[in-house]
Amino acid sequence: MVLYFVGLGLADERDITVKGLEVVKRAARVYLEAYTSILLVPKEQLEAFYERPVIVADREMVEMEADKILEGAANEDVAFLVVGDPYGATTHTDLELRALDLGIPVKTIHNASIMNAVGAAGLQLYRYGETISIVFFTETWRPDSFYDRIVANKKMGLHTLCLLDIKVKEPSLEALCRGKKIYEPPRYMSVNTAVEQLLEIEEKRGEGVCGPDARAVGVARLGADDQLIVAGTLEELRGQDFGAPLHSLILAGEMHHIELDAWERHRAAGRDA
């Protein structure tokens, strides 16, 4: 039979495609990948809409216990649900390759992801450079290697999409030191935190690509009814309330006059909020 990778889109249970819903309805098992991103509704809401039980697949299951997902997939359909599009994270390619090595056919049902929906911010998709990820700083770990990619994008006049860190079912370091697994509460990086970290890195690296006056766009809950898109300088966005997760940040490169018009409109919207 088939292992299906089914994209769920960005917001809620209704964003699944008709084709994807047909697969979910007939699959013997339905897994929900629950660590590279999240929907804005709980699992129970998916189950009510799909009329099927949904098994949450956390990082440990997908990366360390993939055999549980693949078990029996040669004889029955299995659906693996992914927020956004299935190939937004390399983990899913790894699972696909494992399935193919076992002779299990794989089919993909695509959906909207942050990588294309971010076009709603008004900056043209073909003018984006390499996407970066910004992770939470700790007292002892403040990575800035992605700064070089921002610099490279900026030199070519390209925009940079910044994907912001989420921490779901992360073990406590203190508990690990004691040989126990105790998980910390989920955390989702805000635009505000991302801006604070970028400004700290800019102060250290000093190439002028993400200073206080750099133009940017913050987005929150993209695809939902209450999505928020606010443009401004990084200094302006630092104080903006973006509300509940998930958030992303765009660092603007050179802007065509239409892009600039869109940026100004979103900037005005932020001031009126």
Side-chain angles (χ1 to χ4, degrees):
M1 301 299 281
V2 177
L3 172 65
Y4 286 93
F5 287 85
V6 180
L8 294 182
L10 292 168
D12 59 34
E13 73 281 7
R14 297 168 297 163
D15 283 348
I16 192 170
T17 63
V18 173
K19 188 181 293 185
L21 185 58
E22 290 172 348
V23 167
V24 169
K25 292 282 191 181
R26 70 171 183 263
R29 284 173 286 135
V30 180
Y31 293 92
L32 172 63
E33 189 266 85
Y35 68 92
T36 60
S37 189
I38 59 166
L39 279 184
L40 305 181
V41 295
K43 172 180 80 88
E44 291 75 17
Q45 202 159 319
L46 298 184
E47 292 178 320
F49 187 74
Y50 301 155
E51 299 178 333
R52 297 293 315 281
V54 174
I55 304 165
V56 173
D58 59 21
R59 182 186 297 272
E60 290 181 7
M61 174 178 284
V62 177
E63 294 187 349
M64 307 301 293
E65 302 172 6
D67 291 345
K68 290 184 178 180
I69 298 171
L70 299 177
E71 186 177 357
N75 303 309
E76 59 188 13
D77 288 342
V78 174
F80 186 77
L81 312 183
V82 180
V83 177
D85 187 81
Y87 294 108
T90 54
T91 296
H92 309 136
T93 302
D94 179 68
L95 185 62
E96 176 192 22
L97 294 175
R98 290 179 184 225
L100 294 174
D101 285 344
L102 293 171
I104 299 169
V106 174
K107 292 185 179 180
T108 303
I109 300 173
H110 295 284
N111 209 322
S113 77
I114 187 64
M115 303 295 284
N116 54 20
V118 75
L123 304 184
Q124 297 167 7
L125 289 177
Y126 65 84
R127 294 174 61 87
Y128 279 78
E130 187 173 355
T131 297
I132 67 166
S133 296
I134 301 177
V135 300
F136 281 110
F137 280 175
T138 69
E139 290 184 5
T140 58
W141 189 54
R142 308 177 89 76
D144 64 0
S145 58
F146 58 78
Y147 183 87
D148 296 324
R149 282 174 276 167
I150 299 174
V151 172
N153 288 344
K154 195 77 170 182
K155 286 180 177 178
M156 292 186 287
L158 302 176
H159 314 309
T160 302
L161 173 61
C162 308
L163 303 179
L164 308 187
D165 200 8
I166 69 173
K167 299 289 188 186
V168 179
K169 202 175 179 182
E170 291 284 332
S172 161
L173 181 59
E174 182 180 352
L176 286 175
C177 291
R178 296 178 180 175
K180 299 179 180 180
K181 276 191 178 180
I182 300 176
Y183 299 104
E184 296 182 342
R187 290 192 298 152
Y188 308 98
M189 184 180 287
S190 65
V191 167
N192 317 86
T193 297
V195 169
E196 292 280 0
Q197 294 187 183
L198 284 171
L199 291 176
E200 179 181 323
I201 292 169
E202 179 60 48
E203 188 173 351
K204 180 174 70 173
R205 300 288 296 270
E207 295 193 44
V209 296
C210 52
D213 294 331
R215 293 185 293 193
V217 185
V219 300
R221 300 171 303 284
L222 201 56
D225 292 338
D226 66 342
Q227 75 174 23
L228 183 64
I229 302 174
V230 178
T233 65
L234 287 180
E235 185 60 39
E236 290 168 342
L237 296 185
R238 172 156 53 173
Q240 174 74 40
D241 182 6
F242 284 89
L246 293 172
H247 296 183
S248 298
L249 177 66
I250 306 159
L251 301 174
E254 295 175 6
M255 286 191 272
H256 182 273
H257 69 87
I258 294 176
E259 293 178 296
L260 189 56
D261 286 347
W263 187 84
E264 291 289 359
R265 284 200 305 273
H266 289 307
R267 189 183 196 189
R271 288 172 172 171
D272 294 339

